[in-house]
Amino acid sequence: MVSSLTTTLVGAAAQGSNLWSSVLLIVLFVAIFYFFIMRPNRKQQDQRKEMMSGLHVGDRVVTIGGMHGVIDSLDSANKTVTIDADGIYLVFDLQAIHHVETPKSTSTAKVTDQATSSVTASTSEATSATSEATSSVAQSADSVASEATEKDSE
């Protein structure tokens, strides 16, 4: 009787330990599912909502079909957007906007400013070199003229 009671208690303890490890394993799977699937999707949805709320007339956009254009008008009541694609006006659902193109003019402006400053510097250097050459030629001409005048007076 003692031996049967001992085996029953040991079996119950083993089952309890097995139950806790199963619960821990399920909690671990839920945590992994949340951090690797649900959380990134929620972040992506929040970024999309922010992009959609930030749409303005004149923004360059790309649709989910790959068409590039400029927003001509927004209709929030019907949730549509009119896009100007090189003079062709098309109406899309707001959900058809894939992303807003970032203007590339900022990097182009920096390169243009650098090129302009280097051209300006080169131009000013060329101008100063030209003025120095002109002044040295004028001095040489003056000295030749003065020498000629001295020879004539002798």
Side-chain angles (χ1 to χ4, degrees):
M1 181 151 180
V2 175
S3 67
S4 69
L5 182 62
T6 307
T7 54
T8 306
L9 289 175
V10 169
Q15 286 180 351
S17 172
N18 202 10
L19 178 69
W20 282 109
S21 64
S22 297
V23 169
L24 183 63
L25 189 60
I26 290 172
V27 169
L28 182 66
F29 281 135
V30 168
I32 289 172
F33 181 76
Y34 175 77
F35 282 108
F36 287 108
I37 295 175
M38 303 234 355
R39 189 171 170 219
N41 283 345
R42 186 167 294 145
K43 277 185 171 182
Q44 194 174 32
Q45 287 173 352
D46 290 343
Q47 287 174 344
R48 181 151 176 82
K49 282 180 187 177
E50 184 179 325
M51 181 203 59
M52 294 304 247
S53 66
L55 289 176
H56 299 294
V57 173
D59 286 346
R60 293 196 54 79
V61 294
V62 179
T63 65
I64 56 176
M67 189 188 75
H68 296 249
V70 178
I71 295 178
D72 186 59
S73 65
L74 291 165
D75 185 4
S76 58
N78 293 329
K79 295 185 179 181
T80 60
V81 60
T82 304
I83 296 178
D84 176 12
D86 292 333
I88 300 170
Y89 294 90
L90 301 167
V91 179
F92 290 95
D93 286 341
L94 274 175
Q95 296 301 317
I97 303 299
H98 184 264
H99 68 273
V100 178
E101 290 183 336
T102 56
K104 296 178 183 175
S105 62
T106 56
S107 62
T108 305
K110 288 179 184 176
V111 170
T112 304
D113 290 343
Q114 290 174 351
T116 304
S117 64
S118 67
V119 167
T120 304
S122 298
T123 305
S124 64
E125 289 172 6
T127 304
S128 65
T130 304
S131 63
E132 287 175 12
T134 305
S135 66
S136 73
V137 167
Q139 287 174 355
S140 297
D142 287 342
S143 65
V144 167
S146 65
E147 287 177 7
T149 314
E150 288 176 9
K151 283 186 180 180
D152 286 341
S153 64
E154 289 178 0

